[in-house]
């Protein structure tokens, strides 16, 4: 009986360990990372749509991913079927052992050991099967996570943006006679911008703001927050962290490297073997999006919008020239960001998410209009959209210092330069960060009801309230009085500048 009990215990361990190993999934992300929930069914059933999406965006390396996902899914189903057969065989072996209890006879012991050996073999086969199954699931998930969100039907296809209109259009007649002095020259004349010292302390792409320029930075931050907060709907003011987990940045749609292998964000190595790495946030959009990662949002509180300032860090590479000169493209800067969550879109262009998108656009327009900047509003084309963006609107200001002088030097778009951006990201971020909506529009639906696997994810919208360095550059160039050698400040900033109406040499 002692031998019988030992053998039965060994069989139990073999079977239980086999099932335990077969159920265990090898996660290729830190344990504290939110588990993404990509809509694999939608991708599998709409392979052609996703292939065309990748082509329209110029993501040619991703074009074969939908097809590959369907191929791997078929293999996954085959492995799952084989695994279920192995499970049944293990159960059959267990029943056989119970029926043929050894009674001390040699033949019984031989049969019993044979069953134990069969159980071990089945366990090894099940474990190998599950390892292959997990490998397929991981590859399917990685391919699906790499695919972009489906863009909005209004997005211009190709590389050319579509003009929506102008801000302060009355200034168009004055730009031809405006001084073309760039902000770097103005800042140095007034002794408020210092790029030489920052080059020695930090390298190219950094700067010192002195005196009125430093005050102007703070004035713009305060004014942008005040303007957004005074909007006819509730904005929550929030200051986010600048350091985020690298997997959070990736889930928000920001990859360490771009398609050309160039660094996009600054990565910090992990401080231990089992600790996740960190990244310096390139925009407050990343930590804002993560506020509700692995969490549910109350339906009654949507839409929810936040605004706040942060330091941003961009490791963008690029040839030095007018496009990267001075404050226009830098590695570290202050930005005021707007971010919101809204109910998902079921009726495009009439739903809550699109209304929030338009409301944030109106904040941007009002801000730039009050600053007296001449701007144009653009619907950005498919080739300019990031993977997370369904639709994107950029606002470009006119920079006199970026106007081509006919000397062959590359100077951007004939004086235009981006100052704000606005994107609606659908459920791209909320699915990857596992942010879902508590409650359902269907009164019969209950959260946690196993009969319903439907999980509703909010749409996210993000937009620039004020990118401080570029706004300072535009204000210096547009407000420059060549004769008096001063910069005239817009009236909306006087109160935030201690009553100062212009900036002279310091």
């Amino acid at each position: 009986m002692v031998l019988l009990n030992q053998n039965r215990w060994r069989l139990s361990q073999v079977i239980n360990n086999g099932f335990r190993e077969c159920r265990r999934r090898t996660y290729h992300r830190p344990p504290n990372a939110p588990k993404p929930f990509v809509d694999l069914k939608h991708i599998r059933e709409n392979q052609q749509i996703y292939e065309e999406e990748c082509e329209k965006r110029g993501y040619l390396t991703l074009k074969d991913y939908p097809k590959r996902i369907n191929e791997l899914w078929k293999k996954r189903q085959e492995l799952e079927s084989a695994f279920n057969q192995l499970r049944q065989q293990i159960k059959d072996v267990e029943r056989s052992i119970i029926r043929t209890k050894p009674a001390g006879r040699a033949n019984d012991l031989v049969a019993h050991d044979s069953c134990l050996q069969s159980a071990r073999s089945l366990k090894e086969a099940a474990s190998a099967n599950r390892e292959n199954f997990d490998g397929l699931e991981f590859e399917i998930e990685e391919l699906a996570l790499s695919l972009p969100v489906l863009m909005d039907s209004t997005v211009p296809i190709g590389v050319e943006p579509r003009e929506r209109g102008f801000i302060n259009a009355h200034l168009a007649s004055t730009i031809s006679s405006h001084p073309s002095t760039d902000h770097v020259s103005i800042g140095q004349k007034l002794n408020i911008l210092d790029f030489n010292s920052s080059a020695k302390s930090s390298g190219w792409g950094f700067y010192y703001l002195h005196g009125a320029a430093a005050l102007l930075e703070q004035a713009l931050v305060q004014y942008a927050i005040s303007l957004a907060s005074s909007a006819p709907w509730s904005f929550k003011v929030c200051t986010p962290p600048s350091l985020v987990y690298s997997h959070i940045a990736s889930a928000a749609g920001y990859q360490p490297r771009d398609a050309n292998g160039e660094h996009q964000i600054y990565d910090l190595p992990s401080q231990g073997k089992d600790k996740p790495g960190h990244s310096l946030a390139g925009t407050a959009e990343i930590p804002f999006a993560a506020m509700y990662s692995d969490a549910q949002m109350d339906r009654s509180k949507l839409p929810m919008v936040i605004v706040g300032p942060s330091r941003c860090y961009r490791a963008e590479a690029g040839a030095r020239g007018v496009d990267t000169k001075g404050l226009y493209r830098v590695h570290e800067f202050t930005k005021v960001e707007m971010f919101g969550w809204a109910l998902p879109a079921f009726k495009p262009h009439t739903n809550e998410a699109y209304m929030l998108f338009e409301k944030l656009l109106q904040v941007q327009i009002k801000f730039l209009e009050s600053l007296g900047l001449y701007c144009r509003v653009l619907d950005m084309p498919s080739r300019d959209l990031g993977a997370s963006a369904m639709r994107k609107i950029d606002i470009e200001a006119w920079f006199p210092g970026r106007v081509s002088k006919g000397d062959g030097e590359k100077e951007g778009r004939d004086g235009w330069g981006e100052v704000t951006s606005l994107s609606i990201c659908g459920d791209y971020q909320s699915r990857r960060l596992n942010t879902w909506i508590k409650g359902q529009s269907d009164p019969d639906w209950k959260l946690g009801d196993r009969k319903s696997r439907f999980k509703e994810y909010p749409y996210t919208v993000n937009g620039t309230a004020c990118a401080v360095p570029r706004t300072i550059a535009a204000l210096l160039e547009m407000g420059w009085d060549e004769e008096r050698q001063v910069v005239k400040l817009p009236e909306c900033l006087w109160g935030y500048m201690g009553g100062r109406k212009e900036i002279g040499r310091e």
Side-chain angles (χ1 to χ4, degrees):
M1 286 299 294
V2 173
L3 179 61
L4 171 62
N5 290 335
Q6 288 178 343
N7 284 339
R8 291 183 68 180
W9 178 83
R10 287 164 57 197
L11 175 62
S12 176
Q13 290 297 103
V14 167
I15 293 174
N16 289 338
N17 288 341
F19 281 126
R20 201 173 292 122
E21 287 190 21
C22 293
R23 289 195 189 103
R24 188 185 305 130
R25 188 183 193 281
T26 305
Y27 288 96
H28 296 263
R29 64 177 67 88
N32 65 332
K35 186 184 186 309
F37 288 88
V38 184
D39 195 346
L40 284 171
K41 183 180 179 182
H42 193 267
I43 296 173
R44 297 197 318 270
E45 294 177 350
N46 297 276
Q47 176 182 320
Q48 185 177 351
I49 292 176
Y50 280 89
E51 289 174 347
E52 292 173 353
E53 179 76 18
C54 292
E55 187 171 0
K56 290 174 183 177
R57 289 174 178 259
Y59 297 175
L60 300 183
T61 57
L62 307 185
K63 188 179 177 181
D64 293 332
Y65 282 15
K67 179 182 178 181
R68 179 63 176 159
I69 288 171
N70 270 326
E71 292 172 347
L72 293 175
W73 188 262
K74 291 178 182 177
K75 293 181 181 179
R76 176 192 178 281
Q77 289 179 308
E78 293 171 0
L79 284 175
E80 187 174 28
S81 177
F83 177 66
N84 289 334
Q85 291 177 13
L86 287 170
R87 289 180 64 183
Q88 185 59 49
Q89 291 175 27
I90 291 174
K91 290 180 181 179
D92 292 342
V93 169
E94 184 180 30
R95 284 192 290 267
S96 296
I97 291 298
I98 295 174
R99 284 197 305 269
T100 59
K101 296 179 180 179
R105 294 187 297 271
N107 288 342
D108 292 338
L109 291 173
V110 169
H112 189 70
D113 285 341
S114 176
C115 287
L116 283 174
Q117 183 59 44
S118 296
R120 293 190 190 94
S121 299
L122 289 170
K123 175 257 181 179
E124 292 173 359
S127 181
N129 178 291
R130 189 62 186 191
E131 186 175 342
N132 292 333
F133 182 86
D134 283 350
L136 281 177
E137 280 209 321
F138 173 73
E139 187 175 354
I140 290 171
E141 183 180 87
E142 290 298 296
L143 292 172
L145 288 172
S146 300
L147 292 174
V149 67
L150 296 179
M151 72 179 73
D152 186 78
S153 60
T154 63
V155 172
I157 305 303
V159 297
E160 290 299 323
R162 179 174 58 237
E163 282 189 358
R164 283 174 56 105
F166 291 84
I167 302 172
N168 292 320
H170 63 281
L171 295 176
S173 59
T174 67
I175 60 175
S176 60
S177 59
H178 198 284
S180 60
T181 311
D182 64 73
H183 70 276
V184 176
S185 301
I186 295 170
Q188 290 173 342
K189 287 180 180 179
L190 301 182
N191 198 30
I192 57 174
L193 299 182
D194 183 359
F195 298 99
N196 293 328
S197 297
S198 59
K200 291 183 287 185
S201 69
S202 310
W204 173 82
F206 297 90
Y207 55 92
Y208 284 97
L209 299 179
H210 291 291
L215 292 175
L216 184 56
E217 176 180 50
Q218 300 305 314
L220 286 168
V221 169
Q222 291 298 315
Y223 176 57
I225 293 175
S226 176
L227 187 67
S229 301
S230 64
W233 66 96
S234 179
F235 259 102
K236 179 182 177 181
V237 180
C238 177
T239 302
S242 294
L243 201 62
V244 296
Y245 285 129
S246 296
H247 60 262
I248 290 293
S250 178
Y254 288 82
Q255 302 298 325
R257 294 174 181 270
D258 62 14
N260 299 317
E262 296 285 355
H263 277 286
Q264 294 283 79
I265 57 179
Y266 290 104
D267 283 321
L268 303 179
S270 62
Q271 300 301 307
K273 181 180 179 182
D274 299 323
K275 294 183 179 180
H278 285 82
S279 298
L280 287 170
T283 167
E285 172 193 346
I286 300 171
F288 280 161
M291 281 179 65
Y292 288 92
S293 62
D294 266 338
Q296 58 186 8
M297 305 187 75
D298 192 328
R299 170 181 290 273
S300 65
K301 294 183 179 179
L302 297 177
M304 183 184 296
V305 195
I306 51 180
V307 62
S310 72
R311 294 293 280 181
C312 304
Y313 301 87
R314 305 279 177 91
E316 297 167 322
R320 300 186 189 181
V322 173
D323 278 345
T324 59
K325 187 177 181 181
L327 296 174
Y328 191 76
R329 192 176 299 281
V330 292
H331 293 307
E332 179 184 3
F333 59 98
T334 299
K335 180 159 72 84
V336 179
E337 182 77 1
M338 300 179 290
F339 190 92
W341 298 263
L343 293 175
F346 296 111
K347 297 178 180 179
H349 318 304
T350 60
N351 65 85
E352 189 177 272
Y354 279 93
M355 288 191 291
L356 178 59
F357 182 78
E358 291 295 332
K359 286 179 179 179
L360 296 191
L361 177 60
Q362 292 308 309
V363 173
Q364 293 178 326
I365 291 173
K366 185 176 180 180
F367 177 75
L368 295 169
E369 184 178 48
S370 64
L371 292 180
L373 298 178
Y374 177 48
C375 306
R376 64 178 181 178
V377 185
L378 304 173
D379 260 314
M380 299 309 291
S382 59
R383 292 298 182 99
D384 198 72
L385 299 185
S388 63
M390 291 176 61
R391 183 185 176 195
K392 185 160 79 92
I393 290 179
D394 282 359
I395 299 180
E396 296 182 339
W398 188 73
F399 291 79
R402 288 168 60 85
V403 176
S404 176
K405 302 178 180 64
D407 54 5
E409 187 180 9
K410 182 181 178 181
E411 306 222 10
R413 296 180 178 175
D414 294 327
W416 296 108
E418 177 196 333
V419 287
T420 72
S421 186
L422 176 67
S423 299
I424 181 168
C425 297
D427 59 6
Y428 181 97
Q429 294 173 328
S430 57
R431 281 184 172 275
R432 285 158 176 77
L433 291 165
N434 193 25
T435 301
W436 73 97
I437 300 171
K438 179 182 179 180
Q440 241 294 354
S441 54
D442 181 357
D444 296 326
W445 187 91
K446 295 181 180 179
L447 190 66
D449 184 0
R450 293 185 178 182
K451 293 181 181 180
S452 175
R453 295 185 178 182
F454 182 76
K455 205 173 184 180
E456 201 173 10
Y457 297 91
Y459 275 27
T460 57
V461 182
N462 68 84
T464 312
C466 177
V468 173
R470 291 189 182 183
T471 306
I472 289 177
L475 288 173
L476 293 181
E477 295 186 14
M478 282 296 290
W480 179 239
D481 186 325
E482 187 74 44
E483 183 178 346
R484 298 177 57 230
Q485 296 285 289
V486 297
V487 172
K488 298 176 183 177
L489 294 173
E491 185 176 351
C492 62
L493 295 180
W494 294 353
Y496 298 93
M497 290 289 292
R500 294 182 66 166
K501 299 181 179 181
E502 57 185 36
I503 300 173
R505 179 171 176 79
E506 301 191 353

